[in-house]
Amino acid sequence: MGWCILFSKIKNVLFGRKNNKNEDDNDSLNRKEYEVWGPTIEYTKCKNCTLCYKVCKNGVYAVENGKVVVKNKSNCVKGCSKCIEACRYGAISFPND
């Protein structure tokens, strides 16, 4: 085994680097499985009208420093669309299933 290969393997062990593209792809797929499904606010469109905050009965949204934020994404009920319907600016989106 050459010094470069040995050094590369040691570096990978110490710093958690992966040199195999397929391993990186598998990791991103596994992360997607564990990501919490819920809304995302596009702040370039959001006008902070707070309607999403007001219509959500599950405590997903909060107002912090005068800005609506997704505070408890895990409280979101899959299939509920009240916040999207309330948003006049099209600022709320959900991940594709």
Coordinates of all heavy atoms in Angstrom, one line a residue:
M1 N 0.9 -1.2 0.0 CA 0.0 0.0 0.0 C 0.9 1.2 0.0 O 1.8 1.4 0.8 CB -0.9 0.0 1.2 CG -1.9 1.1 1.3 SD -3.0 1.1 2.7 CE -3.9 -0.5 2.6
G2 N 0.6 2.2 -0.9 CA 1.4 3.4 -1.0 C 1.1 4.3 0.1 O 0.1 4.3 0.8
W3 N 2.1 5.2 0.4 CA 1.9 6.2 1.4 C 0.7 7.1 1.2 O 0.0 7.5 2.2 CB 3.2 7.1 1.6 CG 4.3 6.3 2.2 CD1 5.4 5.8 1.6 CD2 4.4 6.0 3.6 NE1 6.2 5.1 2.5 CE2 5.6 5.2 3.8 CE3 3.6 6.2 4.7 CZ2 6.0 4.8 5.0 CZ3 4.0 5.7 5.9 CH2 5.2 5.0 6.1
C4 N 0.5 7.5 0.0 CA -0.7 8.4 -0.3 C -2.0 7.7 0.1 O -2.9 8.3 0.7 CB -0.7 8.8 -1.8 SG 0.6 9.9 -2.2
I5 N -2.1 6.4 -0.3 CA -3.4 5.7 0.0 C -3.5 5.5 1.5 O -4.6 5.7 2.1 CB -3.4 4.3 -0.7 CG1 -3.4 4.6 -2.2 CG2 -4.5 3.5 -0.3 CD1 -3.2 3.3 -3.0
L6 N -2.4 5.2 2.2 CA -2.4 5.0 3.6 C -2.8 6.3 4.3 O -3.7 6.3 5.2 CB -1.1 4.5 4.1 CG -1.0 4.3 5.6 CD1 -2.0 3.2 6.1 CD2 0.4 3.8 6.0
F7 N -2.2 7.4 3.9 CA -2.5 8.7 4.5 C -4.0 9.1 4.2 O -4.7 9.6 5.1 CB -1.6 9.8 3.9 CG -1.9 11.1 4.4 CD1 -1.5 11.5 5.7 CD2 -2.6 12.1 3.6 CE1 -1.8 12.8 6.1 CE2 -2.9 13.3 4.1 CZ -2.5 13.7 5.4
S8 N -4.5 8.8 3.0 CA -5.9 9.1 2.7 C -6.8 8.3 3.6 O -7.8 8.8 4.1 CB -6.1 8.7 1.2 OG -7.5 9.0 0.9
K9 N -6.5 7.0 3.8 CA -7.4 6.2 4.7 C -7.3 6.7 6.1 O -8.4 6.8 6.8 CB -7.0 4.7 4.6 CG -7.3 4.1 3.3 CD -7.2 2.6 3.4 CE -7.5 2.0 2.0 NZ -8.9 1.9 1.8
I10 N -6.2 7.1 6.6 CA -6.1 7.6 8.0 C -6.8 8.9 8.1 O -7.6 9.2 9.1 CB -4.6 7.8 8.4 CG1 -3.9 6.5 8.5 CG2 -4.4 8.6 9.7 CD1 -2.4 6.6 8.6
K11 N -6.7 9.8 7.1 CA -7.4 11.1 7.1 C -8.9 10.8 7.1 O -9.7 11.5 7.9 CB -7.0 11.9 5.9 CG -7.7 13.3 5.8 CD -7.2 14.0 4.6 CE -8.0 13.6 3.5 NZ -7.8 14.3 2.2
N12 N -9.4 9.8 6.4 CA -10.8 9.5 6.3 C -11.3 9.0 7.7 O -12.4 9.4 8.1 CB -11.1 8.5 5.2 CG -10.9 9.0 3.8 OD1 -10.9 10.2 3.6 ND2 -10.8 8.1 2.9
V13 N -10.5 8.2 8.3 CA -10.9 7.8 9.7 C -11.0 8.9 10.7 O -11.9 9.0 11.4 CB -10.0 6.6 10.1 CG1 -10.2 6.3 11.6 CG2 -10.2 5.4 9.3
L14 N -9.9 9.7 10.6 CA -9.9 10.8 11.6 C -10.9 11.9 11.4 O -11.5 12.4 12.3 CB -8.5 11.5 11.6 CG -7.3 10.6 12.1 CD1 -6.0 11.3 11.9 CD2 -7.6 10.3 13.6
F15 N -11.1 12.3 10.1 CA -12.0 13.4 9.8 C -13.4 13.0 9.3 O -14.2 13.9 8.9 CB -11.3 14.4 8.9 CG -10.0 14.9 9.5 CD1 -8.8 14.5 9.0 CD2 -10.1 15.9 10.5 CE1 -7.6 15.0 9.6 CE2 -8.9 16.4 11.0 CZ -7.7 15.9 10.6
G16 N -13.6 11.7 9.1 CA -14.9 11.3 8.7 C -15.2 11.5 7.2 O -16.3 11.6 6.8
R17 N -14.2 11.7 6.5 CA -14.3 12.0 5.0 C -14.7 10.7 4.3 O -14.2 9.6 4.7 CB -13.1 12.6 4.4 CG -12.7 13.9 5.0 CD -13.2 15.0 4.3 NE -12.7 16.2 4.8 CZ -13.2 17.4 4.4 NH1 -14.1 17.4 3.5 NH2 -12.7 18.4 5.0
K18 N -15.4 10.8 3.3 CA -15.7 9.6 2.4 C -15.1 9.9 1.1 O -15.3 11.0 0.5 CB -17.2 9.4 2.4 CG -17.8 9.1 3.7 CD -19.2 8.7 3.6 CE -19.8 8.1 4.8 NZ -20.3 9.1 5.7
N19 N -14.5 8.9 0.5 CA -14.0 9.0 -0.8 C -14.8 8.3 -1.9 O -14.4 8.2 -3.0 CB -12.5 8.6 -0.9 CG -12.4 7.1 -0.4 OD1 -13.4 6.5 -0.1 ND2 -11.2 6.6 -0.4
N20 N -15.9 7.8 -1.5 CA -16.8 7.1 -2.4 C -18.1 7.9 -2.6 O -18.8 8.1 -1.7 CB -17.1 5.7 -1.8 CG -17.9 4.8 -2.8 OD1 -18.5 5.3 -3.7 ND2 -17.8 3.5 -2.5
K21 N -18.3 8.3 -3.9 CA -19.5 9.1 -4.2 C -20.8 8.3 -3.8 O -21.7 8.9 -3.3 CB -19.6 9.4 -5.6 CG -20.7 10.4 -6.0 CD -20.7 10.7 -7.4 CE -21.8 11.7 -7.8 NZ -23.0 11.5 -7.3
N22 N -20.9 7.0 -3.9 CA -22.1 6.3 -3.6 C -22.4 6.3 -2.1 O -23.5 6.4 -1.7 CB -21.9 4.8 -4.0 CG -22.0 4.7 -5.5 OD1 -22.5 5.5 -6.2 ND2 -21.4 3.6 -6.0
E23 N -21.3 6.3 -1.3 CA -21.5 6.5 0.2 C -22.1 7.8 0.5 O -23.0 7.9 1.3 CB -20.2 6.3 0.9 CG -19.7 4.9 0.9 CD -18.3 4.7 1.6 OE1 -17.9 5.7 2.3 OE2 -17.7 3.7 1.5
D24 N -21.7 8.9 -0.2 CA -22.2 10.2 0.1 C -23.7 10.2 -0.4 O -24.5 10.8 0.3 CB -21.5 11.3 -0.7 CG -20.1 11.5 -0.1 OD1 -19.9 11.3 1.1 OD2 -19.2 12.0 -0.9
D25 N -24.0 9.6 -1.5 CA -25.4 9.6 -2.0 C -26.3 8.8 -1.0 O -27.4 9.2 -0.7 CB -25.5 8.9 -3.3 CG -24.9 9.7 -4.4 OD1 -24.7 11.0 -4.2 OD2 -24.7 9.2 -5.5
N26 N -25.8 7.7 -0.4 CA -26.6 6.9 0.5 C -26.8 7.7 1.8 O -27.9 7.7 2.4 CB -25.9 5.6 0.9 CG -26.0 4.6 -0.3 OD1 -26.8 4.8 -1.2 ND2 -25.1 3.7 -0.3
D27 N -25.8 8.5 2.3 CA -25.9 9.3 3.5 C -27.0 10.4 3.3 O -27.8 10.6 4.1 CB -24.6 10.0 3.8 CG -23.7 9.1 4.6 OD1 -24.2 7.9 5.0 OD2 -22.6 9.5 5.0
S28 N -27.0 11.0 2.1 CA -28.0 12.0 1.9 C -29.4 11.4 1.8 O -30.4 12.0 2.3 CB -27.7 12.9 0.6 OG -28.0 12.1 -0.5
L29 N -29.6 10.2 1.3 CA -30.9 9.5 1.3 C -31.3 9.2 2.7 O -32.5 9.4 3.0 CB -30.8 8.3 0.4 CG -30.7 8.4 -1.1 CD1 -30.5 7.1 -1.8 CD2 -31.9 9.1 -1.7
N30 N -30.4 8.7 3.5 CA -30.7 8.4 4.9 C -31.1 9.7 5.7 O -32.0 9.6 6.5 CB -29.5 7.7 5.6 CG -29.3 6.3 5.0 OD1 -30.3 5.7 4.5 ND2 -28.1 5.8 5.2
R31 N -30.4 10.8 5.4 CA -30.8 12.0 6.1 C -32.2 12.5 5.7 O -32.9 12.9 6.5 CB -29.8 13.1 5.8 CG -28.7 13.2 6.8 CD -27.8 14.4 6.5 NE -26.5 13.8 6.0 CZ -25.9 14.1 4.9 NH1 -26.5 15.1 4.1 NH2 -24.8 13.6 4.5
K32 N -32.6 12.3 4.5 CA -33.9 12.7 4.0 C -35.0 11.9 4.7 O -36.0 12.4 5.0 CB -34.0 12.5 2.5 CG -33.3 13.6 1.7 CD -33.4 13.4 0.3 CE -32.6 14.5 -0.5 NZ -32.6 14.3 -1.9
E33 N -34.7 10.6 5.0 CA -35.6 9.8 5.7 C -36.0 10.3 7.1 O -37.1 10.2 7.6 CB -35.1 8.4 5.9 CG -35.2 7.5 4.7 CD -34.6 6.1 5.0 OE1 -34.8 5.6 6.1 OE2 -34.1 5.5 4.0
Y34 N -35.0 11.0 7.7 CA -35.1 11.4 9.1 C -35.4 12.9 9.2 O -35.7 13.4 10.3 CB -33.9 11.1 9.9 CG -33.6 9.6 10.0 CD1 -32.6 9.0 9.3 CD2 -34.5 8.8 10.8 CE1 -32.5 7.6 9.4 CE2 -34.3 7.5 10.9 CZ -33.3 6.9 10.2 OH -33.1 5.5 10.3
E35 N -35.4 13.6 8.1 CA -35.8 15.0 8.1 C -37.3 15.1 8.5 O -38.1 14.3 8.1 CB -35.5 15.7 6.8 CG -34.1 15.9 6.5 CD -33.8 16.6 5.2 OE1 -34.8 17.0 4.5 OE2 -32.7 16.6 4.8
V36 N -37.6 16.1 9.3 CA -39.0 16.3 9.7 C -39.7 17.0 8.5 O -39.3 18.0 8.0 CB -39.0 17.2 11.0 CG1 -40.4 17.5 11.4 CG2 -38.3 16.5 12.1
W37 N -40.9 16.5 8.2 CA -41.7 17.0 7.2 C -42.5 18.2 7.7 O -43.0 18.2 8.8 CB -42.8 16.0 6.7 CG -43.6 16.4 5.5 CD1 -43.3 16.2 4.2 CD2 -44.8 17.1 5.6 NE1 -44.3 16.8 3.5 CE2 -45.2 17.3 4.3 CE3 -45.6 17.6 6.6 CZ2 -46.4 18.0 3.9 CZ3 -46.8 18.2 6.3 CH2 -47.2 18.4 5.0
G38 N -42.5 19.3 7.0 CA -43.2 20.5 7.4 C -42.9 21.7 6.5 O -42.3 21.5 5.5
P39 N -43.5 22.8 6.8 CA -43.4 24.0 6.0 C -42.1 24.7 6.0 O -41.3 24.6 6.9 CB -44.5 24.9 6.5 CG -44.5 24.6 8.0 CD -44.2 23.1 8.1
T40 N -41.8 25.4 4.9 CA -40.7 26.3 4.7 C -41.3 27.6 4.3 O -42.1 27.7 3.4 CB -39.7 25.7 3.7 OG1 -39.3 24.5 4.1 CG2 -38.5 26.7 3.5
I41 N -40.8 28.7 4.9 CA -41.2 30.0 4.5 C -40.2 30.6 3.6 O -39.0 30.7 3.9 CB -41.4 30.9 5.7 CG1 -42.4 30.4 6.7 CG2 -41.7 32.4 5.3 CD1 -42.5 31.1 8.0
E42 N -40.6 31.1 2.4 CA -39.7 31.8 1.5 C -39.8 33.3 1.8 O -40.8 34.0 1.5 CB -40.1 31.6 0.1 CG -39.1 32.1 -0.9 CD -39.5 31.7 -2.4 OE1 -40.1 30.7 -2.6 OE2 -39.1 32.5 -3.2
Y43 N -38.8 33.8 2.5 CA -38.8 35.2 3.1 C -38.8 36.3 2.0 O -39.2 37.4 2.3 CB -37.8 35.3 4.1 CG -38.1 34.6 5.4 CD1 -37.5 33.4 5.7 CD2 -39.1 35.0 6.2 CE1 -37.8 32.7 6.8 CE2 -39.4 34.3 7.4 CZ -38.8 33.1 7.7 OH -39.1 32.4 8.8
T44 N -38.4 35.9 0.8 CA -38.5 37.0 -0.3 C -39.9 37.3 -0.7 O -40.2 38.3 -1.2 CB -37.7 36.5 -1.5 OG1 -38.2 35.3 -2.0 CG2 -36.2 36.4 -1.2
K45 N -40.8 36.3 -0.4 CA -42.2 36.5 -0.7 C -43.1 36.9 0.6 O -44.1 37.5 0.4 CB -42.8 35.2 -1.3 CG -42.3 34.9 -2.6 CD -42.9 33.6 -3.1 CE -42.4 33.1 -4.5 NZ -43.0 31.9 -4.9
C46 N -42.6 36.5 1.7 CA -43.4 36.7 3.0 C -43.5 38.1 3.4 O -42.5 38.9 3.3 CB -42.7 35.9 4.1 SG -43.6 36.0 5.7
K47 N -44.7 38.6 3.7 CA -44.9 40.0 4.2 C -45.2 40.0 5.7 O -45.6 41.1 6.2 CB -46.1 40.6 3.4 CG -46.0 40.5 1.9 CD -44.8 41.3 1.4 CE -44.8 41.2 -0.2 NZ -43.5 41.5 -0.7
N48 N -45.0 39.0 6.4 CA -45.2 38.9 7.8 C -46.6 39.3 8.2 O -46.8 40.0 9.2 CB -44.2 39.7 8.6 CG -42.8 39.0 8.7 OD1 -42.8 37.8 9.0 ND2 -41.8 39.7 8.3
C49 N -47.6 38.9 7.5 CA -49.0 39.2 7.8 C -49.5 38.3 9.0 O -50.5 38.6 9.5 CB -49.8 38.9 6.5 SG -50.0 37.2 6.1
T50 N -48.8 37.3 9.3 CA -49.0 36.4 10.4 C -50.3 35.5 10.2 O -50.7 34.8 11.2 CB -49.1 37.1 11.8 OG1 -50.3 37.9 11.8 CG2 -47.9 37.9 12.1
L51 N -50.9 35.4 9.0 CA -52.0 34.6 8.8 C -51.7 33.1 9.0 O -52.5 32.4 9.6 CB -52.6 34.8 7.4 CG -53.4 36.1 7.3 CD1 -53.9 36.3 5.8 CD2 -54.6 36.1 8.2
C52 N -50.5 32.7 8.6 CA -50.1 31.3 8.7 C -50.1 31.0 10.2 O -50.5 29.9 10.7 CB -48.8 31.0 8.1 SG -47.5 32.0 8.5
Y53 N -49.5 31.9 11.0 CA -49.4 31.7 12.4 C -50.8 31.6 13.1 O -51.0 30.8 14.0 CB -48.6 32.9 13.0 CG -48.6 33.0 14.5 CD1 -47.9 32.2 15.3 CD2 -49.4 34.1 15.1 CE1 -47.9 32.3 16.7 CE2 -49.4 34.2 16.5 CZ -48.7 33.3 17.2 OH -48.7 33.4 18.6
K54 N -51.7 32.5 12.6 CA -53.1 32.5 13.2 C -53.9 31.3 12.8 O -54.7 30.9 13.7 CB -53.8 33.8 12.7 CG -53.2 35.0 13.3 CD -53.8 36.3 12.7 CE -53.1 37.5 13.2 NZ -53.5 38.7 12.5
V55 N -53.8 30.7 11.6 CA -54.6 29.6 11.2 C -54.1 28.3 11.7 O -54.8 27.3 11.8 CB -54.9 29.5 9.7 CG1 -55.6 30.8 9.2 CG2 -53.6 29.2 8.9
C56 N -52.8 28.2 12.0 CA -52.2 26.9 12.5 C -52.6 26.7 13.9 O -52.2 27.4 14.8 CB -50.7 26.9 12.3 SG -50.0 25.4 12.8
K57 N -53.3 25.6 14.2 CA -53.7 25.2 15.5 C -52.7 24.3 16.2 O -53.0 23.8 17.3 CB -55.1 24.6 15.5 CG -56.2 25.5 14.9 CD -56.3 26.8 15.7 CE -57.3 27.7 15.0 NZ -57.2 29.1 15.4
N58 N -51.6 23.9 15.5 CA -50.7 23.0 16.0 C -49.4 23.6 16.5 O -48.5 22.8 16.9 CB -50.4 21.9 14.9 CG -51.6 21.2 14.5 OD1 -52.4 20.7 15.3 ND2 -51.9 21.1 13.2
G59 N -49.3 24.9 16.5 CA -48.1 25.5 17.1 C -46.9 25.4 16.2 O -45.7 25.4 16.7
V60 N -47.0 25.2 14.9 CA -45.9 25.1 14.0 C -45.2 26.4 13.9 O -43.9 26.5 13.9 CB -46.3 24.6 12.6 CG1 -45.2 24.6 11.6 CG2 -47.0 23.2 12.7
Y61 N -45.9 27.5 13.8 CA -45.3 28.8 13.6 C -45.2 29.6 14.9 O -45.9 29.4 15.9 CB -46.2 29.6 12.6 CG -46.3 29.0 11.3 CD1 -47.4 28.1 10.9 CD2 -45.3 29.2 10.3 CE1 -47.5 27.5 9.7 CE2 -45.4 28.6 9.0 CZ -46.5 27.8 8.8 OH -46.6 27.2 7.5
A62 N -44.3 30.6 14.9 CA -44.2 31.5 16.0 C -43.8 32.9 15.4 O -43.3 33.0 14.2 CB -43.1 31.1 17.0
V63 N -43.9 33.9 16.2 CA -43.5 35.2 15.8 C -42.3 35.6 16.7 O -42.5 35.7 17.9 CB -44.6 36.3 15.8 CG1 -44.1 37.7 15.4 CG2 -45.8 35.9 15.0
E64 N -41.2 35.8 16.1 CA -40.0 36.1 16.8 C -39.3 37.4 16.3 O -39.1 37.4 15.1 CB -39.0 34.9 16.8 CG -39.4 33.7 17.5 CD -38.4 32.6 17.5 OE1 -37.4 32.7 16.7 OE2 -38.7 31.6 18.1
N65 N -39.1 38.3 17.1 CA -38.6 39.6 16.6 C -39.4 40.2 15.5 O -38.8 40.7 14.5 CB -37.1 39.5 16.3 CG -36.3 39.0 17.4 OD1 -36.5 39.4 18.6 ND2 -35.3 38.1 17.2
G66 N -40.7 40.1 15.5 CA -41.5 40.6 14.5 C -41.6 39.9 13.2 O -42.1 40.3 12.2
K67 N -41.0 38.7 13.2 CA -40.9 37.9 12.0 C -41.5 36.5 12.2 O -41.3 35.8 13.2 CB -39.4 37.7 11.6 CG -39.2 37.0 10.3 CD -37.6 37.0 10.1 CE -37.3 36.3 8.8 NZ -35.8 36.3 8.6
V68 N -42.4 36.0 11.3 CA -43.0 34.7 11.4 C -41.9 33.7 11.1 O -41.2 33.8 10.1 CB -44.2 34.5 10.4 CG1 -44.7 33.1 10.5 CG2 -45.2 35.5 10.7
V69 N -41.8 32.7 11.9 CA -40.8 31.6 11.7 C -41.5 30.2 11.9 O -42.5 30.1 12.6 CB -39.6 31.7 12.7 CG1 -38.8 33.0 12.5 CG2 -40.1 31.6 14.1
V70 N -40.9 29.2 11.3 CA -41.3 27.8 11.6 C -40.6 27.4 12.8 O -39.4 27.1 12.8 CB -41.0 26.9 10.4 CG1 -41.4 25.5 10.7 CG2 -41.7 27.4 9.1
K71 N -41.3 27.3 13.9 CA -40.7 27.1 15.2 C -40.8 25.6 15.6 O -39.8 25.0 16.1 CB -41.5 27.8 16.3 CG -41.0 27.7 17.7 CD -39.7 28.5 17.8 CE -39.3 28.5 19.3 NZ -38.2 29.3 19.6
N72 N -41.9 24.9 15.3 CA -42.0 23.5 15.6 C -42.5 22.7 14.4 O -43.6 22.3 14.3 CB -43.1 23.3 16.8 CG -42.6 24.1 18.0 OD1 -41.6 23.8 18.6 ND2 -43.5 25.1 18.4
K73 N -41.6 22.5 13.5 CA -41.9 21.8 12.3 C -42.5 20.4 12.5 O -43.3 19.9 11.8 CB -40.6 21.7 11.4 CG -40.8 21.3 10.0 CD -39.5 21.3 9.2 CE -39.5 22.4 8.2 NZ -38.4 22.3 7.3
S74 N -42.0 19.7 13.6 CA -42.5 18.4 13.9 C -44.0 18.4 14.3 O -44.6 17.3 14.3 CB -41.6 17.7 14.9 OG -41.7 18.4 16.1
N75 N -44.5 19.5 14.7 CA -46.0 19.6 15.0 C -46.9 19.6 13.8 O -48.1 19.5 14.0 CB -46.2 20.8 15.9 CG -45.7 20.7 17.2 OD1 -45.1 19.8 17.6 ND2 -45.9 21.8 18.0
C76 N -46.3 19.8 12.6 CA -47.1 19.9 11.4 C -47.8 18.6 11.1 O -47.2 17.5 11.2 CB -46.2 20.3 10.2 SG -47.2 20.8 8.8
V77 N -49.1 18.7 10.7 CA -49.9 17.5 10.3 C -49.8 17.3 8.8 O -50.2 18.2 8.1 CB -51.3 17.7 10.8 CG1 -52.2 16.5 10.3 CG2 -51.4 17.9 12.3
K78 N -49.2 16.2 8.4 CA -49.1 15.9 7.0 C -50.4 15.9 6.3 O -51.3 15.3 6.8 CB -48.4 14.6 6.8 CG -47.7 14.4 5.5 CD -46.8 13.2 5.5 CE -46.0 13.2 4.2 NZ -45.0 12.2 4.2
G79 N -50.5 16.7 5.2 CA -51.8 16.7 4.5 C -52.6 18.0 4.8 O -53.5 18.4 4.1
C80 N -52.3 18.6 6.0 CA -53.0 19.9 6.3 C -52.5 21.0 5.4 O -51.3 21.1 5.2 CB -52.7 20.2 7.8 SG -53.5 21.8 8.3
S81 N -53.4 21.8 4.9 CA -53.0 22.9 4.0 C -53.5 24.2 4.4 O -53.6 25.1 3.6 CB -53.4 22.5 2.6 OG -54.8 22.4 2.5
K82 N -53.9 24.4 5.6 CA -54.5 25.6 6.1 C -53.6 26.8 5.9 O -54.0 27.9 5.5 CB -55.0 25.5 7.5 CG -56.2 24.6 7.7 CD -56.6 24.6 9.2 CE -57.8 23.7 9.3 NZ -58.2 23.5 10.7
C83 N -52.3 26.6 6.2 CA -51.4 27.7 6.1 C -51.1 28.2 4.7 O -51.0 29.3 4.4 CB -50.1 27.4 6.8 SG -49.2 26.0 6.2
I84 N -51.1 27.2 3.8 CA -50.8 27.5 2.4 C -52.1 28.2 1.8 O -51.9 29.2 1.1 CB -50.6 26.2 1.5 CG1 -49.2 25.7 1.8 CG2 -50.7 26.5 0.1 CD1 -48.8 24.4 1.1
E85 N -53.2 27.8 2.2 CA -54.5 28.5 1.8 C -54.6 29.9 2.3 O -55.1 30.8 1.6 CB -55.7 27.6 2.2 CG -55.8 26.3 1.5 CD -56.8 25.4 2.1 OE1 -57.5 25.8 3.0 OE2 -56.9 24.2 1.7
A86 N -54.1 30.1 3.5 CA -54.1 31.4 4.1 C -53.1 32.4 3.6 O -53.3 33.6 3.6 CB -53.9 31.3 5.6
C87 N -52.0 31.9 3.1 CA -50.9 32.7 2.6 C -51.3 33.3 1.2 O -51.3 32.6 0.2 CB -49.6 32.0 2.5 SG -48.2 33.0 2.1
R88 N -51.5 34.6 1.2 CA -51.8 35.3 0.0 C -50.6 35.6 -0.9 O -50.8 36.0 -2.1 CB -52.4 36.7 0.3 CG -53.7 36.6 1.0 CD -54.2 38.0 1.4 NE -53.9 38.2 2.8 CZ -54.3 39.2 3.5 NH1 -55.1 40.1 2.9 NH2 -53.9 39.4 4.7
Y89 N -49.4 35.3 -0.4 CA -48.2 35.7 -1.1 C -47.5 34.5 -1.6 O -46.4 34.7 -2.3 CB -47.3 36.5 -0.2 CG -48.0 37.7 0.4 CD1 -48.5 37.7 1.7 CD2 -48.3 38.8 -0.4 CE1 -49.2 38.8 2.3 CE2 -49.0 39.9 0.1 CZ -49.5 39.9 1.5 OH -50.2 40.9 2.0
G90 N -48.0 33.3 -1.4 CA -47.3 32.1 -1.9 C -46.0 31.9 -1.3 O -45.1 31.3 -1.9
A91 N -45.8 32.2 0.0 CA -44.5 32.2 0.6 C -44.3 30.8 1.3 O -43.2 30.6 1.8 CB -44.4 33.3 1.6
I92 N -45.3 30.0 1.4 CA -45.1 28.7 2.2 C -45.1 27.6 1.2 O -45.9 27.5 0.3 CB -46.3 28.6 3.2 CG1 -46.3 29.7 4.2 CG2 -46.2 27.2 3.9 CD1 -47.4 29.7 5.1
S93 N -44.2 26.7 1.5 CA -44.1 25.5 0.6 C -43.8 24.3 1.5 O -43.4 24.4 2.7 CB -43.0 25.6 -0.4 OG -41.7 25.7 0.2
F94 N -44.1 23.1 1.0 CA -43.8 21.8 1.7 C -43.0 21.0 0.8 O -43.0 21.1 -0.5 CB -45.1 21.1 2.0 CG -45.9 21.7 3.1 CD1 -46.8 22.7 2.9 CD2 -45.7 21.3 4.4 CE1 -47.5 23.3 3.9 CE2 -46.4 21.9 5.4 CZ -47.3 22.9 5.2
P95 N -42.2 20.0 1.4 CA -41.4 19.1 0.5 C -42.3 18.2 -0.3 O -43.4 17.9 0.1 CB -40.6 18.3 1.5 CG -41.2 18.6 2.9 CD -42.0 19.8 2.8
N96 N -41.8 17.9 -1.5 CA -42.5 16.9 -2.3 C -42.4 15.5 -1.7 O -41.4 15.2 -1.2 CB -42.0 16.9 -3.7 CG -42.2 18.2 -4.4 OD1 -43.1 18.9 -4.2 ND2 -41.3 18.5 -5.3
D97 N -43.5 14.8 -1.8 CA -43.5 13.4 -1.2 C -43.1 12.4 -2.2 O -43.3 12.4 -3.3 CB -44.9 13.0 -0.7 CG -45.2 13.8 0.6 OD1 -44.3 13.8 1.5 OD2 -46.2 14.5 0.6

